[in-house]
């Protein structure tokens, strides 16, 4: 047997029935393309979530008043106000694994400058907040410790707010805007962070000293949230333990009492989010894999038809000297050619579709090289596997009967 | 022309007491019941017999497609009986040229590709040689100007010529034809017969199965089969010339 000749024979046989070959291929093309596109989308969103979380600070820890809310129990007013400034100070001074600590109080409202206004949220925080959330000041400067002490009416603004209030490209630094009834002087503009994976605009905010927001806007003394960062991501659990201990002591909780606060880490959120996207990826890939299987069955079906249809041809080939293995190889090569060509087209179309999703829908994609290799390998195997039985059937034919077949 | 030298020629085929039984249900059909003969190089043998007399079974045996139930078969001096499937396939590829009643050309395939086919299964034959030999074979059957014609663009006579070229291309020890003119009209049948006589004149060994007694007159030897027995084996001293017969045929519609 001579592989080059068998290959030539198989190519010739396929080109004798191009339309059928293409239709058979279509199943494989769709299968491979969808596997690749689905994995690209799944991996893309996973990666963008991961990137964003580390951008937001993968060592971030968030403390909220009230116990674990998963029970759906209505919170009492006391619970809602369980976080105090003393808690913040204790976390700042008494911990070893916590680096930055910031209070957070926020209020939604309307920001106004001249004739322009925009709905936004003002976050009252201290300077650590910028470190924890990794906000950088692009233009101007941050407010000072002194501003916090005096509850000064100064603020940093996000890019979106700037665009809404200063559409003419005026330099906002030094300008005075109003938030509700309170005038704030802009001391700096934050560097743009864009949208996060949940579709939230991270530039649509105003940052002001927490004292200012507490006293002048909300008229409260408690903290709505405390955000801090662990030494490194690896120390998150230790940091949470330390914080928990301090808060339980400060809040005079008995060992039998439940926490009146809840602590979430970015790490925990990250693994939650990525496990969700992993699940989605597996699900999508499974659906796509099924279409690859269906494509394979399509090959098998067509190869069976083809063997029956070409019984006389097989008989002739055998009578002029083709061995069983030559016939087997010919049909196997045919089915592999269908699946590999389909696979190649599928790879191109899958990558194309993924890029199109990225360009048109602005959806993050990531094409993992292994997913391309894997789907390609799977589809070659599909060709061998589903081509084997029809090819075997062809090779087992009796030349005398085959050549008389009508 | 007399052929006194046949006795000295090499034995191409030698059958010794060939039997072939088919089991159909619990009945045994004896298709061949002890057939013996020898065919020497350069003979043009017609095998005749009524339908069911065992002609095809005999030809399948000669073509190494079928193995006899008992008896010995030597092709070109080699015993075929002990060969396995693959060895017989190789033997067919090198020593035998088949011509079938219904041509059996590959569809949508050019004449030259059809003729090249047997050589495709011979790894020793490289592409250039394959092409050259296919062209030679097609020229030998008078189709040198139709190399690139596809099978569906040809008449029955042309298709049978392509099939004959395909049977020639491996330079076989024997050409086996099963009712090779069975599908053709009288004129085309004679054209094909002319071709066979021409091959015979070139010294090729031909075995031609037919149920048409007229055709037997154009061969050098007739073997008659009946119920699996040989009932006649005569040398044809007055072989008719097919070319002359063709010339005498009344010109039908053009
Ligand atoms: N594969 C087979 N199975 C059973 N019987 C067969 C088979 N091939 C041939 N025969 C029988 O053997 C006898 C000879 O058949 P065959 O060689 O085809 O005759 P011919 O070609 O002269 O018409 C017939 O009776 C036929 O029915
Ligand atoms: Mg017959």
């Amino acid at each position: 047997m001579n592989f080059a000749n068998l290959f030539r024979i198989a190519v010739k046989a396929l080109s004798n029935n191009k339309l059928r070959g293409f239709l058979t291929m279509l199943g494989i093309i769709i299968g491979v393309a969808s596997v690749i596109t689905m994995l690209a989308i799944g991996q893309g969103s996973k990666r963008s979530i991961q990137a964003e979380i580390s951008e937001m600070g993968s060592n971030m820890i968030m403390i909220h008043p009230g116990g674990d809310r998963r029970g759906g129990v209505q919170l009492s007013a006391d619970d809602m106000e369980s976080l105090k400034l003393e808690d913040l100070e204790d976390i700042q001074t008494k911990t070893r694994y916590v680096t930055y600590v910031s209070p957070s109080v926020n209020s939604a409202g309307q920001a106004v400058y001249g004739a322009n206004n925009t709905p936004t949220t003002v976050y009252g925080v201290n300077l650590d907040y910028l470190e924890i959330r990794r906000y950088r000041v692009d233009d101007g400067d941050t407010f000072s410790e002194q501003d916090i002490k005096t509850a000064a009416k100064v603020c940093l603004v996000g890019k979106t707010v700037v665009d809404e209030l200063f559409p003419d490209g005026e330099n906002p630094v030094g300008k005075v805007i109003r938030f509700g009834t309170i005038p704030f002087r802009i001391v700096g503009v934050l560097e743009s962070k864009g949208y996060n994976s949940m579709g939230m605009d991270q530039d649509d905010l105003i940052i002001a000293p927490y004292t200012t927001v507490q006293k002048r806007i909300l008229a409260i003394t408690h903290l709505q949230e405390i955000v801090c960062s662990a030494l490194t991501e690896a120390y998150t659990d230790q940091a949470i333990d330390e914080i928990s201990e301090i808060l339980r002591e400060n809040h005079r909780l008995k060992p039998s009492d439940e926490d009146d606060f809840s602590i979430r880490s970015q790490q925990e959120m990250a693994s939650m989010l990525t496990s969700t996207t992993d699940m989605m990826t597996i699900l999508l890939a499974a659906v796509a894999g099924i279409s690859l299987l269906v494509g394979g069955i399509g090959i098998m079906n067509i190869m069976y038809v083809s063997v029956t249809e070409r019984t006389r041809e097989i008989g002739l080939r055998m009578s002029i000297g083709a061995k069983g293995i030559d016939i087997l190889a010919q049909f196997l090569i045919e089915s592999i050619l269908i699946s590999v060509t389909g696979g190649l087209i599928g790879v191109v179309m899958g990558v194309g579709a993924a890029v199109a999703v990225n360009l048109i829908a602005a959806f993050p994609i990531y094409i993992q090289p292994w997913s391309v290799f894997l789907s390609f390998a799977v589809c070659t195997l599909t060709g061998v596997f589903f081509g084997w039985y029809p090819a075997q059937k062809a090779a087992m034919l009796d030349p005398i009967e085959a050549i008389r077949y009508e | 022309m007399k052929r006194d030298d046949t006795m000295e020629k090499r034995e191409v085929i030698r059958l010794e007491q060939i039997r072939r039984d088919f089991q159909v249900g619990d009945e045994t059909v004896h298709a061949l019941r002890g057939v013996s003969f020898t065919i020497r190089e350069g003979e043009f043998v017609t095998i005749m017999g009524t339908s069911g007399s065992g002609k095809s079974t005999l030809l399948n045996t000669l073509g190494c497609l079928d193995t006899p139930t008992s008896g010995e078969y030597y092709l070109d001096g080699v015993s075929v009986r002990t060969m396995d499937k693959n060895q017989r396939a190789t033997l067919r590829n090198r020593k035998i040229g088949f011509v079938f009643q219904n041509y059996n050309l590959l569809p949508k395939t050019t004449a030259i590709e059809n003729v090249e086919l047997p050589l495709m299964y011979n790894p020793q034959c490289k592409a250039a040689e394959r092409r050259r030999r296919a062209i030679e074979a097609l020229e030998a059957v008078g189709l040198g100007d139709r190399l690139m014609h596809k099978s569906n663009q040809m008449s029955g006579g042309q298709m049978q010529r392509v099939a004959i070229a395909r049977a020639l291309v491996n330079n076989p020890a024997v050409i086996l034809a099963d009712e090779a003119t069975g599908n053709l009209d009288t004129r085309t049948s004679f054209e094909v017969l002319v071709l066979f006589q021409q091959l015979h004149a070139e010294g090729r060994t031909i075995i031609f199965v037919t149920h048409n007694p007229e055709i037997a007159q154009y061969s050098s030897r007739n073997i008659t089969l009946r119920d699996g027995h040989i009932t006649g084996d005569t040398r044809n001293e007055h072989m008719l010339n097919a070319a002359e017969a063709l010339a005498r045929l009344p010109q039908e519609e053009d």
Side-chain angles (χ1 to χ4, degrees):
Chain A
M1 134 165 118
N2 178 334
F3 181 77
N5 284 351
L6 288 174
F7 189 81
R8 216 167 283 141
I9 288 167
V11 169
K12 172 78 191 161
L14 279 180
S15 66
N16 273 352
N17 222 329
K18 291 192 193 73
L19 180 64
R20 178 195 283 187
F22 174 72
L23 290 176
T24 315
M25 233 175 251
L26 213 53
I28 294 293
I29 293 174
I30 292 168
V32 170
S34 49
V35 168
I36 288 179
T37 311
M38 293 308 168
L39 284 177
I41 290 171
Q43 289 298 317
S45 52
K46 180 178 174 175
R47 287 194 160 231
S48 86
I49 287 170
Q50 280 171 335
E52 190 175 291
I53 282 165
S54 76
E55 177 67 17
M56 260 162 70
S58 54
N59 53 351
M60 194 161 109
I61 295 168
M62 293 144 284
I63 308 156
H64 289 98
D68 206 320
R69 272 173 241 181
R70 269 169 284 196
V73 184
Q74 187 70 42
L75 292 169
S76 71
D78 270 359
D79 269 356
M80 285 294 280
E81 296 177 7
S82 66
L83 293 181
K84 305 290 187 203
L85 209 54
E86 297 86 66
D87 295 330
L88 178 91
E89 282 158 4
D90 284 345
I91 293 170
Q92 268 169 339
T93 52
K94 292 183 186 167
T95 53
R96 278 190 302 149
Y97 298 111
V98 177
T99 43
Y100 297 106
V101 188
S102 171
S104 175
V105 283
N106 64 67
S107 171
Q110 201 77 6
V112 185
Y113 179 74
N116 300 313
N117 66 82
T118 178
T120 186
T121 308
V122 61
Y123 287 84
V125 297
N126 70 15
L127 291 172
D128 278 7
Y129 189 79
L130 299 180
E131 302 294 335
I132 297 164
R133 294 293 309 273
R134 303 201 182 158
Y135 275 112
R136 273 167 289 274
V137 177
D138 221 10
D139 236 351
D141 212 340
T142 60
F143 47 79
S144 63
E145 289 293 345
Q146 190 58 33
D147 290 330
I148 296 174
K149 277 198 190 114
T150 59
K153 291 176 270 187
V154 290
C155 71
L156 300 166
V157 285
K159 185 79 172 38
T160 305
V161 177
V162 170
D163 289 345
E164 292 294 333
L165 296 187
F166 303 93
D168 304 330
E170 238 180 305
N171 184 3
V173 177
K175 300 285 185 312
V176 177
I177 58 169
R178 268 188 307 108
F179 185 83
T181 54
I182 319 293
F184 279 93
R185 185 168 50 84
I186 298 174
V187 293
V189 176
L190 297 169
E191 193 182 272
S192 174
K193 279 168 82 89
Y195 285 80
N196 71 8
S197 59
M198 270 93 58
M200 264 164 53
D201 182 358
Q202 302 179 89
D203 299 325
D204 185 11
L205 85 171
I206 296 174
I207 291 179
Y210 70 94
T211 47
T212 315
V213 177
Q214 270 186 322
K215 283 182 196 154
R216 300 187 195 277
I217 299 179
L218 297 170
I220 55 171
T221 53
H222 67 269
L223 306 175
Q224 292 169 333
E225 186 186 4
I226 296 173
V227 290
C228 34
S229 60
L231 211 50
T232 69
E233 193 185 330
Y235 287 112
T236 307
D237 288 341
Q238 285 94 322
I240 289 174
D241 289 345
E242 279 184 334
I243 294 166
S244 176
E245 207 174 309
I246 289 166
L247 291 181
R248 285 187 72 89
E249 200 184 303
N250 282 6
H251 299 180
R252 302 195 171 74
L253 298 176
K254 291 193 285 289
S256 60
D257 290 341
E258 300 223 341
D259 288 347
D260 60 355
F261 53 89
S262 62
I263 304 175
R264 294 255 183 287
S265 69
Q266 191 72 291
Q267 205 187 26
E268 190 185 332
M269 293 214 359
S271 65
M272 210 172 74
L273 279 171
T274 54
S275 78
T276 312
T277 57
D278 275 346
M279 270 267 289
M280 281 297 291
T281 307
I282 291 168
L283 215 75
L284 290 172
V287 170
I290 288 170
S291 70
L292 195 57
L293 182 77
V294 172
I297 294 170
I299 291 188
M300 190 157 170
N301 188 17
I302 283 301
M303 290 312 287
Y304 264 123
V305 171
S306 175
V307 166
T308 308
E309 225 178 47
R310 285 153 67 192
T311 300
R312 279 243 313 264
E313 175 194 324
I314 295 164
L316 169 79
R317 288 180 186 279
M318 285 177 158
S319 55
I320 61 171
K323 302 186 179 95
I325 184 126
D326 294 328
I327 302 294
L328 182 89
Q330 176 190 333
F331 280 91
L332 218 49
I333 291 171
E334 276 182 38
S335 61
I336 292 172
L337 271 178
I338 289 176
S339 59
V340 167
T341 314
L344 276 175
I345 299 173
V347 166
V348 171
M349 291 196 29
V351 170
V355 170
V357 163
N358 180 245
L359 291 179
I360 295 164
F363 206 90
I365 58 151
Y366 178 73
I367 295 162
Q368 229 155 9
W370 64 255
S371 79
V372 175
F373 281 117
L374 186 78
S375 46
F376 199 70
V378 164
C379 100
T380 310
L381 280 177
T382 305
V384 176
F385 185 80
F386 289 101
W388 180 264
Y389 286 97
Q392 180 83 358
K393 185 189 169 197
M396 299 291 269
L397 286 175
D398 173 23
I400 300 170
E401 280 168 26
I403 203 147
R404 290 216 192 104
Y405 185 86
E406 292 303 330
Chain B
M1 78 183 134
K2 274 226 168 99
R3 278 182 174 271
D4 288 328
D5 53 349
T6 26
M7 293 310 283
E8 294 139 41
K9 292 265 173 135
R10 194 159 52 97
E11 276 181 10
V12 176
I13 279 167
R14 181 191 184 87
L15 294 186
E16 290 173 358
Q17 288 300 316
I18 293 292
R19 300 185 144 272
R20 181 66 170 106
D21 300 334
F22 291 106
Q23 207 66 42
V24 183
D26 22 81
E27 245 181 279
T28 306
V29 179
H30 304 282
L32 297 175
R33 310 171 186 245
V35 173
S36 306
F37 58 75
T38 301
I39 292 174
R40 288 174 186 277
E41 195 175 9
E43 285 193 274
F44 181 1
V45 183
T46 43
I47 294 177
M48 302 241 301
T50 52
S51 182
S53 57
K55 304 184 297 291
S56 295
T57 308
L58 178 58
L59 205 74
N60 289 337
T61 308
L62 293 172
C64 308
L65 287 167
D66 200 5
T67 30
T69 312
S70 68
E72 274 291 352
Y73 170 29
Y74 298 94
L75 174 63
D76 226 9
V78 187
S79 170
V80 179
R81 191 175 54 85
T82 52
M83 287 189 169
D84 66 21
K85 256 178 139 178
N86 286 344
Q87 288 172 312
R88 281 188 281 128
T90 307
L91 198 65
R92 289 197 292 275
N93 187 244
R94 309 296 147 80
K95 300 271 185 191
I96 290 166
F98 281 104
V99 182
F100 303 93
Q101 178 171 359
N102 49 15
Y103 330 125
N104 278 317
L105 299 185
L106 294 189
K108 300 184 190 174
T109 306
T110 60
I112 192 151
E113 282 172 315
N114 266 298
V115 174
E116 276 184 325
L117 207 57
L119 301 179
M120 294 286 261
Y121 293 100
N122 182 348
Q124 273 121 55
C125 188
K126 297 284 169 281
E129 194 197 343
R130 192 163 64 219
R131 186 123 296 216
R132 182 180 59 74
R133 282 168 67 174
I135 293 171
E136 273 175 21
L138 278 164
E139 280 167 352
V141 300
L143 288 177
D145 56 341
R146 291 207 162 60
L147 302 180
M148 292 304 165
H149 282 227
K150 299 208 168 161
S151 22
N152 49 324
Q153 302 166 335
M154 288 186 283
S155 68
Q158 286 171 336
M159 286 199 274
Q160 196 60 300
R161 281 163 189 271
V162 174
I164 293 168
R166 184 179 61 195
L168 285 175
V169 78
N170 57 344
N171 196 19
V174 59
I175 295 169
L176 301 176
D178 193 353
E179 302 276 12
T181 56
N183 278 7
L184 303 174
D185 59 46
T186 314
R187 173 165 287 274
T188 323
S189 293
F190 273 102
E191 281 168 6
V192 168
L193 264 185
V194 170
L195 189 53
F196 273 104
Q197 283 198 329
Q198 195 182 307
L199 296 174
H200 173 228
E202 287 164 12
R204 294 199 183 265
T205 314
I206 301 162
I207 300 177
F208 195 112
V209 164
T210 179
H211 62 265
N212 183 355
E214 200 190 343
I215 287 175
Q217 297 174 284
Y218 298 90
S219 68
S220 68
R221 178 178 168 190
N222 308 323
I223 292 175
T224 316
L225 269 186
R226 187 175 191 167
D227 296 336
H229 290 291
I230 292 187
T231 55
D233 185 351
T234 56
R235 216 156 287 282
N236 189 359
E237 303 296 344
H238 310 286
M239 205 171 114
L240 297 183
N241 188 321
E244 287 169 13
L246 181 63
R248 279 199 304 276
L249 277 182
Q251 290 289 333
E252 287 151 52
E253 86 277 21
D254 241 23

